[in-house]
Amino acid sequence: MAIYHLSMQIISRSKGQSAVAAAAYRSGEKLHDERTDEQKFYARNVQPETMILTPSNAPEWMKDRNRLWNEVEKVEKRKDSQLARELNIALPIELNHDQQKELIQSFVQNEFVQKGMVADIAIHRDDANNPHAHIMLTMRNLSEDGFGKKNRDWNADFANAKDNNRGYVKNSEGCLSIREQWANYANKALEQAQSNERITHLSHEKRGLEILPMVHLGHVAHDMGKKGKKTDRGQINRDRQDYNKAVVDLQAYRRQKEDHLKKMKEKEKQFSFSTDIEKTYIQKAASLIGQKVIALEDITARHEQLRKIGDRHDPIERHFHVQQQQFLNVRNYYDRVSDLEREIQQNEEKVEELKKSLNPFKLKENNMMKRRHLDKISDLESNKESYESSIQKQKESLRFSSEEEFYQRYQEFSQKKENRLNQITYEKKQIQVETRVLLRAEEAIKQAKIREISSYYPDLKTAGKYLTYSNALRLEQYHETAQQNQFKLSNIKQSLDASQKKLEEFKKHQKMVHIEKEHVSTMSKEVEKLSIVQKKLDELDRSPGEKAKRLVSKKVRQDYEELQSEAKYGRENLKELGYKGQQDLQQQQSRMNTVEKTVVPWLKKEIKTHESNINALDAIFNVIQQATRSQEQAQQRQQLGRMRSTTINRAKNKGPDLSR
């Protein structure tokens, strides 16, 4: 099953660590540490799957693992320098290798690389039951030339709290955010892979679980455990497994008891709305399935089981029919071989007779006859060989070596076939019988549910029998959320009208907010436009040369006058829009920003809620109306039927007039 594990640490010189050595160990590659002039290489049985992800502004050389971490070592001068951050993340075993790679790439790209970090990823699959990824992250801002200053903002995501001097981050908002994000990414990937497994970053205590969590072994303790050596962490896990087994057994007993009580209550409730014959159907189906209480889900599951049993019959029958045909073919081959041998013998006898003939006058004729018989024998021998070859091909599949053994095998097969097909015929009849019982029980349970739901609605006191099961389930959902006085059709109609009225009000408010937003936006654009025009006028008024040009050039003077007209029009337009100055406009813009962030989302939520409520109420209203309308139509049909019967009876009683 998928497990959650995410730990973080700082790779630091103060702990005697090297970024190059760490990258070499995690990637399984041979790297040269320029600072110590040493080759770093750690052999692995299974080569890790590695990749380096870089931000868009990173230089190309940062995708070279050897140069990347040597440059990190060069830029860090202090003896206690923090070189890199590292995450160790367990990957869900329910995902295949490609899905695991896509998951870790997506998580790292979105959560770290887009913020400006370079990520060196190594996926380890040495143990098929423990696939995990090591992610080494740089700690400095990037430039075209390389690394700049350390980014202190990233410390919000990576707290400095340590656990047992191992550098694991704990109990910080930043850590919780990353841990929670990983759970979200992993669960989305599991959902896309159509797996029912899910993981969570929450502790057992916060999830309300009584069982104790396992501790992460780490590769050292894990390798020692595989070799049969005991470790403290391994012993902790063994003790916790024993404790958890006892807790799980107790919880399972509690759930079993609760389920039993729940089913007994459901049975009492179900039977209170069932007729006597329906109770019989339900009890019979329950005994077939082997349960005291039965629900529609149980019937559906049993139907599926019966379908699978039925599906197994067809291939068995086909197999017997195919094998039967094989036996018939071989029997025909043997019969044909026997016929051919008889014909061969007859022709050989005739050849012998012709040889014994001493009549010299028929010598030529005898030779011709002898030749014909010999040719016939040759053809018959050839046909015989063909049939014998066909028999030989079937010997292995039908498991016989001689003709006597064949007929013995054929007899055994015929008996086996008859017994198995008789058994299948019996099973098919049993399936048909059980299916009829299940269908009756299914209909009985649905009718009981329809009566139960109808009892909540006064308008369905007599019209409830015209409800469909799906419509009854809709009414049940409404019954679970509505108030007691809302079950009447008139009250539902009132609630529907009230919700529609409320919806119209919210939509009206939404429209007013939109109009006001457009108004402030238009005013802002007009102010900006007037400001540009006024700036041009001020520049022209301050320039003596421009004043002189206006005196001698008609076009320059016209351009100036057009700017003045545009400025005048802008001021008049702003006056009509209610503009009271830049400070007032800023206040309106600030208020609209607040409305956009608070009021608009609230309005959208309310509109969506009321639309959903209206759709539900409308569906409920239509369901009840449909049932009452069906009842009225049935009553009308019954009344018409009675009228026709009365008319026919009167005509019969009157009889023909015999007085004429």
Side-chain angles (χ1 to χ4, degrees), residues 394-636:
Q394 298 292 339
K395 281 185 175 181
E396 185 176 352
S397 61
L398 297 180
R399 302 198 305 276
F400 69 92
S401 57
S402 63
E403 185 174 358
E404 292 77 9
E405 191 175 354
F406 164 76
Y407 282 107
Q408 184 182 349
R409 288 280 300 120
Y410 187 22
Q411 186 177 3
E412 292 171 357
F413 166 78
S414 299
Q415 188 61 48
K416 182 180 177 183
K417 175 193 169 190
E418 184 179 359
N419 294 340
R420 190 68 181 96
L421 292 183
N422 287 339
Q423 183 184 355
I424 289 174
T425 303
Y426 173 77
E427 288 177 1
K428 284 183 175 180
K429 288 180 180 178
Q430 289 298 107
I431 289 172
Q432 290 174 355
V433 171
E434 189 169 342
T435 300
R436 281 197 296 270
V437 172
L438 292 173
L439 289 173
R440 286 173 180 170
E442 183 178 356
E443 185 60 27
I445 292 171
K446 287 182 177 179
Q447 289 301 320
K449 175 61 73 174
I450 289 171
R451 292 189 199 101
E452 177 192 344
I453 303 306
S454 299
S455 68
Y456 304 141
Y457 294 84
D459 298 279
L460 295 175
K461 191 172 183 180
T462 57
K465 64 181 179 180
Y466 297 100
L467 269 179
T468 63
Y469 180 69
S470 59
N471 284 342
L473 293 181
R474 289 186 181 181
L475 294 179
E476 184 179 35
Q477 289 178 344
Y478 179 64
H479 167 258
E480 291 172 352
T481 56
Q483 300 297 324
Q484 185 66 31
N485 62 353
Q486 290 182 315
F487 297 155
K488 287 185 178 180
L489 195 61
S490 56
N491 292 333
I492 294 173
K493 180 69 169 117
Q494 288 176 2
S495 298
L496 185 58
D497 292 340
S499 292
Q500 286 175 334
K501 187 176 179 181
K502 250 331 187 185
L503 178 62
E504 289 173 3
E505 289 178 6
F506 283 122
K507 285 187 173 181
K508 185 178 178 182
H509 287 313
Q510 189 183 46
K511 187 175 181 181
M512 289 173 62
V513 169
H514 180 72
I515 291 171
E516 190 173 355
K517 180 184 175 183
E518 290 294 321
H519 177 79
V520 173
S521 177
T522 302
M523 189 187 296
S524 176
K525 290 176 182 176
E526 288 296 326
V527 168
E528 186 179 356
K529 193 188 298 182
L530 178 61
S531 175
I532 293 170
V533 172
Q534 191 62 53
K535 185 178 179 181
K536 289 180 180 178
L537 284 172
D538 291 344
E539 288 176 355
L540 292 173
D541 288 339
R542 286 195 299 269
S543 174
E546 290 295 331
K547 290 181 180 180
K549 286 181 183 179
R550 287 198 294 274
L551 293 174
V552 297
S553 173
K554 182 179 179 181
K555 186 177 183 310
V556 173
R557 187 166 58 253
Q558 285 176 343
D559 292 341
Y560 180 77
E561 289 171 354
E562 284 177 6
L563 282 174
Q564 285 182 320
S565 298
E566 190 175 347
K568 182 181 178 182
Y569 173 77
R571 283 189 288 271
E572 290 174 353
N573 197 19
L574 283 172
K575 189 176 181 181
E576 290 178 5
L577 291 170
Y579 179 66
K580 298 178 182 178
Q582 186 65 32
Q583 186 176 358
D584 177 66
L585 175 61
Q586 289 175 350
Q587 288 176 352
Q588 290 191 54
Q589 288 174 329
S590 176
R591 187 174 64 82
M592 284 310 302
N593 287 335
T594 304
V595 168
E596 279 287 314
K597 292 178 180 178
T598 57
V599 178
V600 171
W602 174 74
L603 284 172
K604 286 181 179 178
K605 184 179 178 182
E606 289 295 325
I607 288 170
K608 186 177 180 180
T609 301
H610 279 76
E611 284 177 341
S612 177
N613 190 33
I614 286 169
N615 290 335
L617 287 171
D618 191 48
I620 298 304
F621 186 79
N622 290 335
V623 164
I624 297 175
Q625 267 198 332
Q626 182 182 347
T628 53
R629 199 179 300 118
S630 297
Q631 183 190 27
E632 291 171 0
Q633 291 172 354
Q635 289 173 346
Q636 289 173 1

Side-chain angles (χ1 to χ4, degrees), residues 47 51 140 241 243 341 408 444 452 476 571:
Q47 183 61 27
M51 65 209 82
R140 291 178 176 267
Q241 282 173 347
Y243 172 82
E341 285 176 344
Q408 184 182 349
E452 177 192 344
E476 184 179 35
R571 283 189 288 271

Side-chain angles (χ1 to χ4, degrees), residues 12 49 63 109 129 216 317 368 394 559 611 654:
S12 173
E49 186 173 5
K63 292 184 179 179
Q109 181 68 37
N129 296 317
H216 183 64
E317 288 177 318
M368 289 178 63
Q394 298 292 339
D559 292 341
E611 284 177 341
K654 186 176 180 181

Side-chain angles (χ1 to χ4, degrees), residues 257-273 292-293 452:
K257 190 174 180 180
E258 289 171 1
D259 290 343
H260 177 71
L261 292 172
K262 185 179 178 182
K263 285 186 175 182
M264 292 307 295
K265 287 180 181 178
E266 287 176 356
K267 182 180 179 181
E268 291 175 7
K269 188 177 181 181
Q270 186 183 79
F271 274 24
S272 64
F273 292 98
K292 292 183 178 179
V293 185
E452 177 192 344

Side-chain angles (χ1 to χ4, degrees), residues 91-92 95 99-107 182 185-186 189:
L91 300 173
L95 304 180
Q99 290 168 335
Q100 290 173 351
K101 180 181 177 182
E102 184 180 351
L103 166 61
I104 201 70
Q105 276 184 314
S106 175
F107 172 65
W182 167 246
Y185 275 85

Side-chain angles (χ1 to χ4, degrees), residues 259-383:
D259 290 343
H260 177 71
L261 292 172
K262 185 179 178 182
K263 285 186 175 182
M264 292 307 295
K265 287 180 181 178
E266 287 176 356
K267 182 180 179 181
E268 291 175 7
K269 188 177 181 181
Q270 186 183 79
F271 274 24
S272 64
F273 292 98
S274 300
T275 64
D276 290 340
I277 188 67
E278 286 173 346
K279 290 177 185 177
T280 304
Y281 291 152
I282 294 170
Q283 287 174 334
K284 195 170 181 180
S287 64
L288 276 175
I289 295 176
Q291 294 180 192
K292 292 183 178 179
V293 185
I294 191 172
L296 286 177
E297 295 79 12
D298 303 318
I299 293 176
T300 302
R302 184 54 182 165
H303 273 308
E304 181 62 20
Q305 288 175 354
L306 293 176
R307 184 191 65 78
K308 288 180 179 178
I309 293 172
D311 289 345
R312 289 200 294 267
H313 290 154
D314 290 340
I316 294 171
E317 288 177 318
R318 283 197 300 271
H319 170 72
F320 275 115
H321 288 311
V322 169
Q323 214 167 15
Q324 170 74 18
Q325 191 58 49
Q326 286 179 305
F327 274 108
L328 289 174
N329 289 340
V330 174
R331 189 183 69 177
N332 290 335
Y333 296 155
Y334 272 123
D335 290 344
R336 189 63 186 132
V337 167
S338 179
D339 292 340
L340 289 169
E341 285 176 344
R342 189 162 48 253
E343 285 187 61
I344 290 170
Q345 185 178 359
Q346 290 172 355
N347 280 274
E348 285 176 344
E349 289 174 355
K350 288 180 180 180
V351 169
E352 289 299 322
E353 289 177 5
L354 291 170
K355 285 181 178 179
K356 292 176 181 178
S357 176
L358 300 175
N359 191 342
F361 299 103
K362 293 186 177 181
L363 183 61
K364 184 176 181 181
E365 182 181 350
N366 288 347
N367 287 334
M368 289 178 63
M369 290 290 293
K370 188 166 64 172
R371 175 52 56 192
R372 286 198 197 99
H373 286 302
L374 289 173
D375 290 343
K376 181 71 173 177
I377 290 170
S378 177
D379 291 340
L380 292 172
E381 289 284 358
S382 177
N383 289 339

